[in-house]
Amino acid sequence: MTEANKERLSGKATVREIFDVATEFEKVAHRFYTELIPNVSKNIRWLVEELAEEELEHVELFSNLGKNPDVEAVMAAEIVRPVADGKFSDCVHTPDLGPNPDDQAVLQYALMRESAAMDQYTELAESAPEGPLKDAFVFLANEETKHKAELEKIYYEIVHSGGV
């Protein structure tokens, strides 16, 4: 068994591994929402534009963190792999919603991503070493929690008010 597989089975990962997956998660989300903008209905275009912008801010946050010497110093440290890691990692693969995606499908996907991110960042905030990386995970957990609540409200308004 390879060393990488032993570590995965042990439930631990390096901060670098977690950091890289989180960075890719945010990059994929930004690209996905940006490409989706011209295809969604006008009802939710503003929302998809906002989601793309928020994901870009998260990409920039990780980019800046990667340049921080305090963060670089803990990259080799091992932390507990979050329980939500598999679901979070799966979000790196985006669905093909077709050329005219249904509002409900877009909202459901966005809710699933926000939920996965919220769970992942909450767990990471609890286990990351003290310092700027932990602070970033706390910030992101709070952001994703707010985004999820906002999306749930919008979903309810659009889907249950006959908007879809």
Side-chain angles (χ1 to χ4, degrees):
M1 181 179 293
T2 68
E3 204 57 38
N5 285 339
K6 285 180 189 174
E7 283 185 19
R8 182 168 277 287
L9 289 174
S10 75
K12 295 207 172 193
T14 65
V15 171
R16 166 70 65 201
E17 291 170 319
I18 298 292
F19 185 87
D20 289 347
V21 170
T23 302
E24 188 62 19
F25 175 89
E26 301 297 346
K27 285 179 180 177
V28 165
H30 174 255
R31 189 171 43 250
F32 176 76
Y33 290 128
T34 300
E35 292 172 0
L36 197 59
I37 291 169
N39 299 327
V40 295
S41 76
K42 290 184 182 186
N43 289 342
I44 63 167
R45 186 164 297 146
W46 65 272
L47 176 63
V48 176
E49 289 169 347
E50 190 174 290
L51 288 167
E53 185 177 308
E54 288 168 353
E55 302 301 351
L56 181 59
E57 290 171 7
H58 296 171
V59 170
E60 291 167 353
L61 173 70
F62 279 113
S63 177
N64 292 333
L65 278 171
K67 297 172 191 168
N68 184 321
D70 294 335
V71 172
E72 188 57 42
V74 299
M75 285 295 186
E78 285 189 340
I79 60 175
V80 175
R81 187 179 296 279
V83 173
D85 192 57
K87 185 177 173 187
F88 184 80
S89 297
D90 286 346
C91 289
V92 172
H93 306 287
T94 57
D96 179 2
L97 298 178
N100 297 307
D102 172 81
D103 289 357
Q104 186 171 353
V106 172
L107 290 168
Q108 286 173 334
Y109 178 73
L111 272 166
M112 184 273 303
R113 278 192 70 86
E114 297 298 327
S115 181
M118 179 188 72
D119 293 346
Q120 181 84 347
Y121 293 141
T122 298
E123 284 189 62
L124 288 170
E126 293 168 0
S127 64
E130 291 295 328
L133 188 61
K134 182 181 193 82
D135 295 343
F137 287 138
V138 168
F139 170 78
L140 288 166
N142 291 333
E143 285 288 296
E144 302 298 358
T145 300
K146 285 188 248 175
H147 296 165
K148 183 176 178 272
E150 291 168 7
L151 280 169
E152 286 171 340
K153 182 178 179 229
I154 293 165
Y155 182 85
Y156 184 81
E157 289 171 358
I158 290 177
V159 174
H160 295 290
S161 70
V164 174

